[in-house]
Amino acid sequence: MPNPESTCLVVQTSQDLRGTTSVPGDKSISHRAVMLAALAEGTSTVRDWLAAGDTEATLRSVRALGVRVERPAPDELHVHGRGILQAAAKPLDFANAGTGIRLMTGIMVGQPFASVLDGSPQLRRRPMKRIITPLARMGADISGGEGRAPLRIRPAALRGIRYEMPVASAQVKSAVLLAGLFAKGVTTVVEPGPTRDHSECMLLAAGVDVRAEEGVVTLKPPTGLRPLDFHVPGDFSSAAFLLVAAATAAGSEVRLTGINLNPTRTGLLDALRMMGADIQVSEAGTEAGEPAGTLTVKQRPLRGVEIGGDMVVRMIDEFPALMVAALCAEGRTTVRDASELRLKETDRLSVMTKELRRLGTSIEERDDGFVIEGPQTLQGANLDGHDDHRIAMSLTLAGLLARGQTRLHDAECIADSFPGFAETLRSLGARVATALDV
Ligand code: S3P
């Protein structure tokens, strides 16, 4: 039964997407910006900050910890850090934001007061043991019911550790490094494969002695953090949906400006190019110490691709969108080593397979990935976003390719990372309307 409060996207077959657009600020960087600015001594200015469901939850949490934040515009923050946080009166609520709760846990274990970190029912289902284990080894006093939120933290003295991560996760790496800010001695994290390095870049910008070499990141506890002053570049993971839309809808040519092109994030760019997509990068420069630039994508016939190994982490959030591209591609697309997808906001392998099958497609779901033989014909249907922003946006793309009309229920979760997604698609000529779910 659709929720009467929720919105629904009505999507019609669309071709010839054209135009130039930007996307909202990077979610990973926006979370980290608020956290580091809260810890810094002095005023940090963050422009083009992502004002979206996930990051607003992080902003509310630092305000609840006594940090004053002025907001002259929704996407501009002036964070008045004092180098210390105060106990919050209530549990901190991270809504659906896995990055928010995991990284803030790293910070909270180092504070001289107790705290509780919690979130939505969906967030309460996600695994937290992956951060509890290393943080407890550092001396943190942290308990979570069977390795899930709510996480209850009591003050404890931390010591630096050397942690070899069993899974390649930037959230785990970041939680340990952030705890390392408050630990005695050096903290070292060894990555099994390269993960996004925004925490390292931003900690460095805040004056922290953090070094990364060949998958080994070392942090020395600082005496303080410097305030930050920067623009958040556009989120590659949001641009990904527009890239796939333009790479698959016949006759399309779209320019995306100001996109973060940090190579730890751009696996989808490589995957789409391997599939035969025509994507050009121009006006490349740096934004917040990260590479950024303009992407121009033209629709071309696509062919199947094989993806596995280190490439998976570089495009971990992009597989739902890649599945849609694979349905258009000639031949077989095989993805392996991607079982982490089962631990995101939803089990993305199973949810995408189930919803795409409603459009009449045939997909082989595997434990650690999927196989799609293309091209396939999609027939419009009623779909569900499952309160997972990336599922909802990927299904919208499928709707653009399907014959007839697709109704996507439970679509308001898109605002967790990409407010204005439907409007942006419309500005490019896509036939997407927002309606109340009745
Ligand atoms: C993120 C890391 C990734 C990614 C998530 C954002 C981050 O999660 O999927 O959307 O900002 O550090 P994992 O660390 O679980 O791979």
Side-chain angles (χ1 to χ4, degrees):
M1 277 289 285
N3 169 357
E5 306 266 298
S6 73
T7 49
C8 154
L9 290 185
V10 183
V11 189
Q12 317 267 2
T13 324
S14 302
Q15 296 188 339
D16 297 314
L17 306 185
R18 278 174 188 264
T20 299
T21 188
S22 56
V23 298
D26 187 276
K27 181 156 80 69
S28 292
I29 296 177
S30 294
H31 278 298
R32 288 161 170 82
V34 168
M35 294 179 198
L36 296 190
L39 295 175
E41 278 168 69
T43 300
S44 293
T45 302
V46 186
R47 296 186 185 81
D48 299 324
W49 186 75
L50 172 67
D54 278 17
T55 46
E56 294 283 0
T58 293
L59 178 57
R60 278 196 300 277
S61 82
V62 304
R63 280 182 157 148
L65 291 163
V67 178
R68 192 163 67 83
V69 182
E70 286 174 290
R71 203 167 175 185
D75 63 354
E76 181 172 339
L77 305 180
H78 298 257
V79 183
H80 301 285
R82 290 181 297 125
I84 51 157
L85 303 174
Q86 288 164 9
K90 290 192 298 194
L92 303 172
D93 179 359
F94 290 92
N96 279 351
T99 306
I101 194 169
R102 292 201 180 107
L103 271 58
M104 278 301 283
T105 300
I107 293 175
M108 299 317 289
V109 291
Q111 303 309 309
F113 52 81
S115 53
V116 179
L117 290 81
D118 203 355
S120 65
Q122 186 206 75
L123 190 64
R124 282 181 168 201
R125 287 194 290 272
R126 297 186 64 187
M128 294 297 152
K129 214 166 167 188
R130 50 182 58 201
I131 55 164
I132 295 174
T133 301
L135 294 176
R137 266 190 56 204
M138 295 177 81
D141 182 344
I142 172 171
S143 59
E146 295 181 15
R148 309 259 188 257
L151 300 172
R152 295 174 203 286
I153 296 169
R154 283 184 301 195
L158 303 183
R159 56 187 171 273
I161 56 166
R162 178 183 172 90
Y163 187 58
E164 302 205 0
M165 286 198 294
V167 280
S169 160
Q171 291 180 356
V172 174
K173 170 178 68 176
S174 302
V176 174
L177 292 176
L178 288 168
L181 294 174
F182 308 98
K184 192 159 177 254
V186 172
T187 295
T188 302
V189 181
V190 183
E191 303 190 88
T195 67
R196 66 190 69 193
D197 60 358
H198 308 303
S199 297
E200 296 90 306
C201 295
M202 294 174 76
L203 284 164
L204 202 61
V208 178
D209 184 347
V210 56
R211 289 153 208 244
E213 248 169 57
E214 290 175 22
V216 181
V217 188
T218 306
L219 177 141
K220 285 194 188 140
T223 47
L225 265 68
R226 281 200 302 259
L228 306 163
D229 184 351
F230 69 97
H231 287 264
V232 179
D235 197 327
F236 181 85
S237 294
S238 296
F241 298 103
L242 306 178
L243 278 181
V244 169
T248 54
S252 299
E253 177 168 349
V254 167
R255 274 177 83 228
L256 306 170
T257 59
I259 310 299
N260 180 11
L261 298 174
N262 182 320
T264 61
R265 297 284 299 280
T266 51
L268 180 78
L269 199 61
D270 303 338
L272 287 173
R273 281 176 167 160
M274 281 153 65
M275 296 173 85
D278 177 353
I279 307 174
Q280 304 298 326
V281 179
S282 56
E283 293 159 42
T286 52
E287 194 67 77
E290 305 241 355
T294 297
L295 297 173
T296 304
V297 52
K298 295 182 191 159
Q299 185 269 323
R300 292 277 179 270
L302 299 179
R303 55 182 176 272
V305 68
E306 282 197 26
I307 296 172
D310 284 353
M311 176 113 162
V312 169
V313 187
R314 294 180 54 238
M315 55 181 291
I316 191 66
D317 292 334
E318 281 60 77
F319 284 100
L322 179 86
M323 288 175 94
V324 177
L327 288 168
C328 298
E330 181 78 43
R332 176 179 295 197
T333 293
T334 308
V335 169
R336 49 176 75 89
D337 306 324
S339 54
E340 273 289 302
L341 290 175
R342 299 198 180 277
L343 302 173
K344 297 295 175 187
E345 282 80 336
T346 58
D347 174 342
R348 288 182 172 158
L349 288 173
S350 119
V351 168
M352 278 305 287
T353 303
K354 177 174 153 200
E355 293 298 322
L356 289 173
R357 280 183 185 155
R358 289 189 211 255
L359 297 166
T361 66
S362 151
I363 295 168
E364 183 189 333
E365 181 185 342
R366 293 189 172 170
D367 285 349
D368 69 341
F370 55 86
V371 179
I372 293 178
E373 296 277 355
Q376 297 191 24
T377 306
L378 284 64
Q379 185 61 49
N382 272 313
L383 303 178
D384 194 294
H386 293 259
D387 195 23
D388 181 339
H389 53 135
R390 300 204 200 282
I391 295 285
M393 288 186 271
S394 302
L395 295 176
T396 306
L397 306 186
L400 298 177
L401 299 169
R403 290 191 187 146
Q405 179 177 290
T406 295
R407 285 182 87 87
L408 173 67
H409 302 285
D410 198 9
E412 64 283 345
C413 57
I414 289 173
D416 282 352
S417 66
F418 196 162
F421 172 67
E423 291 79 355
T424 303
L425 275 178
R426 271 202 293 279
S427 76
L428 299 171
R431 299 196 295 158
V432 181
T434 306
L436 264 188
D437 229 348
V438 280

